[in-house]
């Protein structure tokens, strides 16, 4: 079949042409107003420039062992460095120095007071020593006065003079029989005379002794002593007992004694021994000291060495020893 004929195309519509703007006497003013509305706002006026701030001081953290390190504010810790106000630090530092100076002044005042106190304490100690010495001197003077009074009041009863005359004779020529000497001593002992200490002091040469029970058992009765033995009682409580050849001591024991006035008793200890003028060493073994009759530290006597004095006059002295024997001495002037 034959192809259909094409349809005729419709004509395109045309746009209406714009009309030329109408001119008006206010058109220029309106345009100016529109431009002012659409334009950007004006920039603000620039502010006056400020002075730059002073930089803050950076101070390192002071080491703990550095006593001269400055202070810092722990509340402003920013790590290894601290931001602090230097003026505040100076004020604190000055306040600290003032406090240290005041404390130093206080320390000086305290040291001065302590020195004064020490001086006063030293003076007080000296005064105490002086008082003690005066007290000891007064006590010694009172003791001597008491002894002198006892010596002045010491009057031998008439019944003792016969026995004393026997002893005085025995001390001179040693011709009196030992039994008579012992009987005279026993007669004086029964009278219980009060012997003054001052009359006992001095040097006395041993004339007659019965010895102790042990010496009598070992050596028999000892009567008149054939050698020179001198007993000395010192003013200051010293005692010695020596064996002499002429004026030379061959053997001498030395020690101290105490006087018991109410019993007319003297208790003593020998601490040293002297042989031919030479002292024995202090470190003698205890068994040797015990064998020699010397005092051993920390060891008590089985029987305290002592003399119970029986009678005394200006020439003879009589006593009984702790071992039970009696002794007669004659005063040794030299």
């Amino acid at each position: 079949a034959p192809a259909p004929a094409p349809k005729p195309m419709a004509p395109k519509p045309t746009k209406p042409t714009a009309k030329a703007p109408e001119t008006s006497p206010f058109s220029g003013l309106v345009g100016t107003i529109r431009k002012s509305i659409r334009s950007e706002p004006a920039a603000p006026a620039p502010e006056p420039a400020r002075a730059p701030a002073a930089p803050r001081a950076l101070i390192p953290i002071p080491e703990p062992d550095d006593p001269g390190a400055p202070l810092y504010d722990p509340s402003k810790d920013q790590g290894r460095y601290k931001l602090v106000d230097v003026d505040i630090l100076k004020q604190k530092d000055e306040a600290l120095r003032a406090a240290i100076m005041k404390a130093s002044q206080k320390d000086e005042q305290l040291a001065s007071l302590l020195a004064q106190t020490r001086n006063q304490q030293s003076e007080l100690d000296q005064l105490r020593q002086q008082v003690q010495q005066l007290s000891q001197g007064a006590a010694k003077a009172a003791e001597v006065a008491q002894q002198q009074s006892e010596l002045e009041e010491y009057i031998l009863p008439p019944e003792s003079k016969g026995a004393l005359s026997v002893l005085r004779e025995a001390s001179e020529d040693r011709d009196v029989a030992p039994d008579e000497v012992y009987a005279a001593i026993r007669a004086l002992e029964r009278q219980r005379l009060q012997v003054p200490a001052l009359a006992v002091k001095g040097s006395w040469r041993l004339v007659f002794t019965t010895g102790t029970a042990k010496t009598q058992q070992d050596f028999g009765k000892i009567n008149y002593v054939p050698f020179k033995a001198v007993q000395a009682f010192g003013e200051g409580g010293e005692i010695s007992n020596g064996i002499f050849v002429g004026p030379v001591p061959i053997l001498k024991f030395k020690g101290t004694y105490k006087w018991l006035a109410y019993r007319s008793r003297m208790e003593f200890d020998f601490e040293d021994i002297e042989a031919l003028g030479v002292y024995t060493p202090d470190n003698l073994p205890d068994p040797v000291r015990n064998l020699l009759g010397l005092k051993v530290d920390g060891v008590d006597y089985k029987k305290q060495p002592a003399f119970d004095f029986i009678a005394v006059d200006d020439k003879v002295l009589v006593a009984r020893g702790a071992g039970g024997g009696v002794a007669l001495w004659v005063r040794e002037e030299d």
Side-chain angles (χ1 to χ4, degrees):
K7 295 181 180 180
M9 296 181 60
K12 294 182 180 180
T14 57
K15 292 182 180 180
T17 55
K19 295 183 179 179
E22 297 179 358
T23 59
S24 173
F26 298 100
S27 58
L29 179 60
V30 173
T32 302
I33 293 171
R34 287 178 178 174
K35 288 181 180 180
S36 63
I37 293 172
R38 294 177 180 175
S39 62
E40 295 293 333
E47 296 181 358
R50 296 182 180 179
R56 304 181 73 181
L58 289 176
I59 298 179
I61 300 175
E63 296 297 333
D65 297 335
D66 184 7
L71 299 175
Y72 63 90
D73 188 355
S75 65
K76 299 179 180 180
D77 190 358
Q78 295 183 2
R80 180 58 187 168
Y81 290 88
K82 308 294 180 179
L83 293 176
V84 295
D85 191 334
V86 177
D87 293 335
I88 295 177
L89 283 181
K90 289 181 179 179
Q91 293 175 2
K92 291 183 177 181
D93 189 53
E94 291 176 358
L96 179 61
R97 291 179 187 276
I100 292 174
M101 185 176 296
K102 186 178 292 186
S104 177
Q105 294 175 354
K106 292 291 185 182
D107 288 343
E108 292 176 359
Q109 293 175 1
L110 180 59
S112 177
L113 290 175
L114 288 175
Q116 294 177 5
T117 303
R118 291 192 188 98
N119 293 334
Q120 293 174 356
Q121 184 66 34
S122 177
E123 294 176 357
L124 182 60
D125 292 340
Q126 292 177 1
L127 288 175
R128 285 176 178 171
Q129 291 178 359
Q130 293 176 2
V131 170
Q132 185 176 6
Q133 291 174 359
L134 290 173
S135 177
Q136 291 176 353
K140 186 65 177 178
E143 181 182 357
V144 172
Q146 178 67 24
Q147 292 176 359
Q148 289 177 347
S149 176
E150 291 176 357
L151 183 61
E152 292 173 358
E153 295 174 359
Y154 178 64
I155 300 175
L156 291 171
E159 57 269 23
S160 66
K161 292 183 178 180
L164 281 173
S165 64
V166 173
L167 299 180
R168 291 169 70 97
E169 183 181 353
S171 66
E172 290 176 358
D173 50 27
R174 304 189 180 201
D175 288 339
V176 181
D179 291 341
E180 292 183 18
V181 175
Y182 183 72
I185 293 174
R186 287 290 296 136
L188 291 171
E189 191 173 24
R190 285 190 291 268
Q191 295 178 19
R192 298 182 180 276
L193 302 175
Q194 188 74 21
V195 178
L198 199 59
V200 172
K201 293 178 181 179
S203 297
W204 302 86
R205 180 173 179 173
L206 184 62
V207 176
F208 178 94
T209 182
T210 61
T212 64
K214 186 176 186 307
T215 57
Q216 291 180 12
Q217 182 180 356
D218 295 340
F219 306 104
K221 287 186 178 182
I222 303 173
N223 297 320
Y224 289 104
V225 179
F227 50 85
K228 183 179 180 180
V230 178
Q231 192 94 38
F233 309 109
E235 294 288 342
E238 309 89 11
I239 184 174
S240 66
N241 189 8
I243 298 174
F244 290 75
V245 175
V248 180
I250 302 300
L251 189 66
K252 182 184 284 188
F253 295 87
K254 293 185 176 183
T256 56
Y257 71 84
K258 64 179 179 179
W259 179 260
L260 306 178
Y262 64 96
R263 296 176 57 185
S264 298
R265 179 181 175 88
M266 177 185 289
E267 295 182 351
F268 56 88
D269 298 315
F270 287 124
E271 291 96 8
D272 299 316
I273 184 171
E274 179 183 319
L276 296 175
V278 179
Y279 281 103
T280 56
D282 295 333
N283 56 352
L284 284 175
D286 291 347
V288 177
R289 294 184 65 86
N290 192 22
L291 182 63
L292 293 173
L294 300 178
K295 174 69 175 174
V296 178
D297 292 338
V299 178
D300 295 332
Y301 292 110
K302 292 182 179 179
K303 185 177 289 187
Q304 173 67 45
F307 290 128
D308 291 309
F309 290 97
I310 298 171
V312 64
D313 66 3
D314 60 336
K315 188 171 183 179
V316 295
L317 175 66
V318 186
R320 182 177 291 276
V326 295
L328 168 65
W329 292 275
V330 62
R331 187 177 291 277
E332 184 81 0
E333 299 297 339
D334 186 3

